[in-house]
Amino acid sequence: MTLQETISTDLKTALKAKDEIVLGTLRLIKAEIQYELTKTGASELSDTAVMQILKTNYKRRKDTALEYDKANRPDLSSKEMEEAEIISRYIPKEVSEEEIGKATEVAILELGASGPQDMGKVMGKVMAKFKGQNIDGSKVSSLVKQALNAR
């Protein structure tokens, strides 16, 4: 079953269970998938494309919750966090900092990187290793920068 089909099935289940928060969140995701389908003219999106939609929505919810916290609106913040939690069920576990650190060291050794000027090469190699997995590019950038500055 594709990710798109799984979301549709879960949406129907939430509708039958009258689970409003899950239903509302999945409807928004489904609408974005439908928009992409209309834009591309395809009948179904690849799991990679659906995953990108999910990651974007997850990040958006987390950022919005943070803004609501800053504005002292815990009620709205908790709603955004609930929606982020629902979306996270469909996103694979994020690659750990430890794994990124090991891959960074391997990439530095393989490329013979000697300093910050080699950051682009090392970043490319590390990101390619984790292609298709849930990885935070800013975390990779930070770890690569630390490793290269230590040389």
Side-chain angles (χ1 to χ4, degrees), residues 19-115:
D19 189 343
E20 293 300 319
I21 187 84
V22 174
L23 185 61
T25 304
L26 292 181
R27 277 184 173 156
L28 287 172
I29 298 297
K30 184 86 170 150
E32 288 200 33
I33 290 171
Q34 196 60 45
Y35 174 74
E36 283 298 317
L37 287 172
T38 304
K39 225 167 65 172
T40 61
S43 61
E44 192 169 320
L45 292 178
S46 67
D47 279 352
T48 308
V50 174
M51 187 61 63
Q52 191 57 49
I53 291 170
L54 290 168
K55 285 180 185 178
T56 301
N57 276 277
Y58 177 77
K59 185 173 181 349
R60 190 179 301 146
R61 297 298 189 304
K62 294 289 263 186
D63 291 346
T64 304
L66 191 62
E67 291 301 316
Y68 282 140
D69 281 339
K70 287 179 185 174
N72 200 24
R73 293 295 307 265
D75 54 327
L76 296 173
S77 176
S78 67
K79 181 180 183 291
E80 292 293 328
M81 289 303 291
E82 280 182 65
E83 290 179 1
E85 173 60 35
I86 292 164
I87 294 169
S88 74
R89 296 175 194 168
Y90 301 96
I91 301 173
K93 188 177 149 277
E94 191 171 296
V95 177
S96 71
E97 283 190 29
E98 184 179 309
E99 290 177 278
I100 296 169
K102 287 178 185 175
T104 300
E105 288 303 317
V106 169
I108 289 172
L109 292 173
E110 285 178 3
L111 294 170
S114 59

Side-chain angles (χ1 to χ4, degrees), residues 108 112-120 122 144-145 147-151:
I108 289 172
S114 59
Q117 70 275 9
D118 296 319
M119 184 152 175
V122 176
V144 168
K145 191 179 291 185
L148 288 173
N149 284 333
R151 300 211 172 260

